[in-house]
Every structure is written in C-alpha cells, then in structure tokens.
Amino acid sequence: MSDRTKDRLMYALKSRGPNTAATMAKHLGVTAVAVRQHLDALLEADLVEFEDLKGTVGRPRRTWRLSETGNRKFPDNHSGVLVDLLGNIKDLYGDDGLQRLIDARADQSRKSYLTAMKSAKTLSDKLHCLAEQRSEEGYMAEVLKDGENGYLFAENHCSICAAARSCQHFCRSELDLFQEVLGDDVRVERVEHILKGDRRCLYKVSPN
C-alpha cells in the first residue's frame, strides 16, 4: 500500500474514530487484507493501537484507533510558540491582557464566520459554512444530523490544542462564539471535549 493510502487510513481513524479493518477497507475502497497489513506496519511504528472487544458470539471484534504518537502527526499550529507567547503575555499584561487577546481573536473569527454565512438561509446552511471555515483552520469539522431538527457539529482535531490546554479561556471563548454566530434561536452545547479525554470536540446544536 502506498504512503497516500497510509495517510488516508490515518485520516479516517482521526475523523471517524475507532473502527475495524473491514469497515475502514470499505470506506477507503481497498481490501481488508491490505488494510490489515498496513495497520500492522503502523502498529510497529507506534502510530496506531487496537482493542479486542468481546461480543455475545464469535471472536472478539478488533477495533483500531490512533495512538498518542499518531495523533501528534496532525498539526497543532506552532504549539510551542503559542504556549510561550501566552505565558509571556500573561506575565507582561496579566489575566486581563490575556483575555483581551482572546477576545480580539474571537472578534476576528466572528467577522469571518458571519461573512461566510451571509447567504445561509437555514441552520444546516450556517453549520456547513462554519464547518468549512473551521476545517480551513485545521479543525477537521463536519456536520451530522441529530434527530429530526437537531445537528451535531464535530471537530475531529484541535489545531491549537497545546494552547487550549495552557489557557482554557480559548475553549470557553469558542463555545460562546459558536452560539453567537449561529443565533439566539438555537442552543449550542458541548457534549464531548478533547481536553477532557474525548477523541473530538462535539457540539449539540438544536432549535430553541
């Protein structure tokens, strides 16, 4: 299997979460045997890991996921520089100065997202515009249906994860930002969070 297929396989594990070799083979359009061979090579490189889940009948079901090393293959935009800068700003200007920086970043993002959503008519349209913008920023965002009227907004990667760990004001700011750009007629709730150990950040979006 080519390096391109390996990259697609790792991307699938990142965006779709833990999965079996057979399911990933179907998704990628290759044979399950080929996927298993490649997973073995990724396992040797410590880029993936697996868990055997026992079912009620038959053999255990082996599911694969990215390891911590594998997750680090996805960029965390200049994480070391960001963390150092945040520390320097806090030392020089205190918590108020750091909050002003975060507010300024949120204001810039708000303008960008609202501009992208200008022609959006429905909640679905707005979410897909937001997902496109966030994916361009490295968050691997997607929109999923949740019942008849609701949606799930998933971000499968955090491109500023190290900065967010060092200053969780970023996460609170982004939740408020999503609520603001999507409007008062919807409710946005974070139900999964990378910083709490989940594999992605997931937001439940439903009409009020």
Side-chain angles (χ1 to χ4, degrees):
M1 292 175 72
S2 67
D3 287 342
R4 180 174 177 275
T5 306
K6 179 195 75 172
D7 292 342
R8 290 178 63 213
L9 180 55
M10 291 187 64
Y11 186 93
L13 287 171
K14 179 70 173 174
S15 61
R16 298 167 70 89
N19 239 313
T20 65
T23 301
M24 287 186 287
K26 184 177 180 181
H27 173 67
L28 297 176
V30 296
T31 67
V33 171
V35 167
R36 290 189 185 97
Q37 289 174 347
H38 212 54
L39 285 169
D40 287 341
L42 291 172
L43 183 64
E44 274 191 38
D46 194 31
L47 295 173
V48 299
E49 56 194 21
F50 64 83
E51 181 180 8
D52 289 329
L53 302 175
K54 292 183 178 179
T56 54
V57 294
R59 294 183 303 173
R61 180 172 173 265
R62 176 161 293 186
T63 60
W64 295 83
R65 61 178 175 265
L66 290 179
S67 66
E68 185 175 341
T69 303
N71 272 300
R72 286 200 295 268
K73 292 292 183 180
F74 292 83
D76 185 355
N77 291 348
H78 309 293
S79 58
V81 175
L82 274 174
V83 171
D84 289 345
L85 282 174
L86 290 174
N88 291 336
I89 289 168
K90 187 172 182 179
D91 290 342
L92 289 170
Y93 304 110
D95 287 331
D96 286 345
L98 183 57
Q99 187 61 56
R100 286 199 298 272
L101 172 69
I102 293 169
D103 290 344
R105 175 180 178 268
D107 187 54
Q108 184 179 28
S109 296
R110 182 185 303 107
K111 292 175 182 176
S112 173
Y113 299 161
L114 288 174
T115 298
M117 292 179 186
K118 187 175 291 185
S119 61
K121 303 297 183 184
T122 66
L123 177 56
S124 175
D125 292 340
K126 289 181 179 180
L127 285 169
H128 281 91
C129 287
L130 182 60
E132 183 176 353
Q133 294 292 307
R134 297 288 286 181
S135 291
E136 288 178 1
E137 296 172 26
Y139 289 91
M140 295 173 63
E142 60 180 334
V143 181
L144 309 166
K145 279 291 292 178
D146 182 39
E148 186 176 348
N149 298 314
Y151 296 89
L152 296 173
F153 184 79
E155 295 190 329
N156 295 296
H157 179 62
C158 179
S159 63
I160 58 162
C161 197
R165 288 187 192 281
S166 124
C167 177
Q168 295 195 20
H169 291 292
F170 277 108
C171 293
R172 288 194 289 273
S173 172
E174 290 189 337
L175 179 58
D176 292 341
L177 176 61
F178 292 166
Q179 178 68 72
E180 185 172 351
V181 298
L182 291 172
D184 294 334
D185 55 343
V186 301
R187 181 170 182 260
V188 182
E189 177 188 7
R190 185 189 286 122
V191 293
E192 293 181 20
H193 195 188
I194 290 174
L195 294 193
K196 291 185 177 179
D198 296 314
R199 74 164 186 89
R200 62 184 178 177
C201 288
L202 185 68
Y203 301 84
K204 187 179 180 69
V205 183
S206 53
N208 276 330

